[in-house]
């Protein structure tokens, strides 16, 4: 509880630099590499140059002002990660990422923000707004999403803006 992780950089590519499990009221800032939260609530992830930010079973977190470039999936929530705020992030070029070819070959898209994933479960009541999402197969993908709000995002140069799979009662607004 109640700690800050800052300036962590992975020694080599593909290594998880920060993984929090069962944490509350923590901050992750100015880190690089993969950032993962598992069963963690009320945390803030901000101002990172991450490879990917993943939330699994994590609620009431805030993910903001991060920059993620050339990752197959930039921000991913699954396994009932609910009531999270995702805003003000810059997510660029997943479609030209090193893992784009293998994702496409296995039938998966490159994605800016992914809410839920097939067998891994959907996400509910998340707010996704004010993000700059450019050059992806799919800018925002919801799989099994319920009552999410997606609004005021800048989506450009993506094959598809927003895809909803088995998702109900979501609010999507474009400006």
């Amino acid at each position: 509880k109640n700690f800050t992780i800052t300036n962590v950089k992975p020694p080599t590519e593909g290594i998880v630099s920060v993984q929090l499990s069962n944490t509350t009221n923590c901050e992750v800032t100015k880190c690089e590499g993969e950032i993962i939260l598992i069963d963690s609530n009320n945390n803030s992830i901000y101002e990172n140059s991450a490879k990917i930010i993943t939330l699994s079973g994590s609620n009431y977190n805030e993910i903001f002002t991060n920059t993620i470039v050339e990752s197959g999936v930039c921000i991913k929530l699954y396994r009932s990660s609910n009531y999270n705020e995702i805003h003000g992030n810059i997510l660029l070029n997943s479609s030209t990422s090193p893992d784009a070819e293998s994702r496409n070959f296995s039938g998966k898209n490159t994605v800016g923000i992914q809410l839920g994933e097939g067998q891994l479960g959907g996400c509910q009541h998340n707010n996704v707004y004010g993000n700059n999402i450019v050059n992806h197969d799919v800018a925002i993908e919801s799989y099994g999403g319920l009552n999410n709000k997606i609004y005021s995002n800048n989506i450009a140069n993506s094959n598809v803006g927003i895809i909803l799979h088995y998702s109900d009662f979501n609010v999507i607004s474009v400006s």
Side-chain angles (χ1 to χ4, degrees), residues 37 45 52-63 73-86 89 111-118 120-128 141-145 148:
L37 270 64
I45 303 171
I52 182 174
I53 297 172
T54 304
L55 273 62
S56 172
S58 297
N59 305 303
Y60 298 101
N61 297 289
E62 187 175 13
I63 301 171
V73 177
C74 297
I75 297 175
K76 178 178 181 175
L77 282 66
Y78 67 97
R79 205 175 59 86
S80 296
S81 290
N82 305 321
Y83 299 98
N84 296 290
E85 299 282 326
I86 302 170
N89 298 288
V111 182
I113 299 174
Q114 184 174 353
L115 302 172
E117 183 179 8
L120 300 176
C123 301
Q124 303 176 23
H125 302 283
N126 295 290
N127 291 317
V128 179
E141 182 176 43
S142 175
Y143 205 109
N148 294 300

Side-chain angles (χ1 to χ4, degrees), residues 4-159:
T4 299
I5 297 175
T6 189
N7 295 314
V8 175
K9 297 176 182 162
T12 59
E13 184 70 24
I15 298 206
V16 175
S17 50
V18 177
Q19 179 173 320
L20 304 180
S21 297
N22 298 300
T23 61
T24 305
N25 297 322
C26 297
E27 295 182 354
V28 178
T29 186
K30 296 179 179 61
C31 295
E32 297 178 9
E34 295 184 35
I35 299 170
I36 300 171
L37 270 64
I38 301 170
D39 300 322
S40 295
N41 303 313
N42 296 305
N43 299 289
S44 296
I45 303 171
Y46 63 97
E47 296 178 5
N48 297 286
S49 296
K51 170 73 174 163
I52 182 174
I53 297 172
T54 304
L55 273 62
S56 172
S58 297
N59 305 303
Y60 298 101
N61 297 289
E62 187 175 13
I63 301 171
F64 63 102
T65 62
N66 298 286
T67 301
I68 302 175
V69 179
E70 293 192 336
S71 176
V73 177
C74 297
I75 297 175
K76 178 178 181 175
L77 282 66
Y78 67 97
R79 205 175 59 86
S80 296
S81 290
N82 305 321
Y83 299 98
N84 296 290
E85 299 282 326
I86 302 170
H87 62 93
N89 298 288
I90 299 171
L91 312 173
L92 307 173
N93 303 328
S94 71
S95 63
T96 58
S97 69
D99 35 337
E101 186 176 337
S102 65
R103 286 188 64 80
N104 293 149
F105 183 76
S106 67
K108 296 180 179 179
N109 293 308
T110 63
V111 182
I113 299 174
Q114 184 174 353
L115 302 172
E117 183 179 8
Q119 307 273 339
L120 300 176
C123 301
Q124 303 176 23
H125 302 283
N126 295 290
N127 291 317
V128 179
Y129 60 94
N131 298 287
N132 191 14
I133 308 169
V134 179
N135 196 22
H136 305 276
D137 291 338
V138 177
I140 300 172
E141 182 176 43
S142 175
Y143 205 109
L146 180 66
N147 291 314
N148 294 300
K149 292 181 182 175
I150 300 169
Y151 59 96
S152 299
N153 294 287
N154 175 39
I155 296 173
N157 298 331
S158 295
N159 295 334

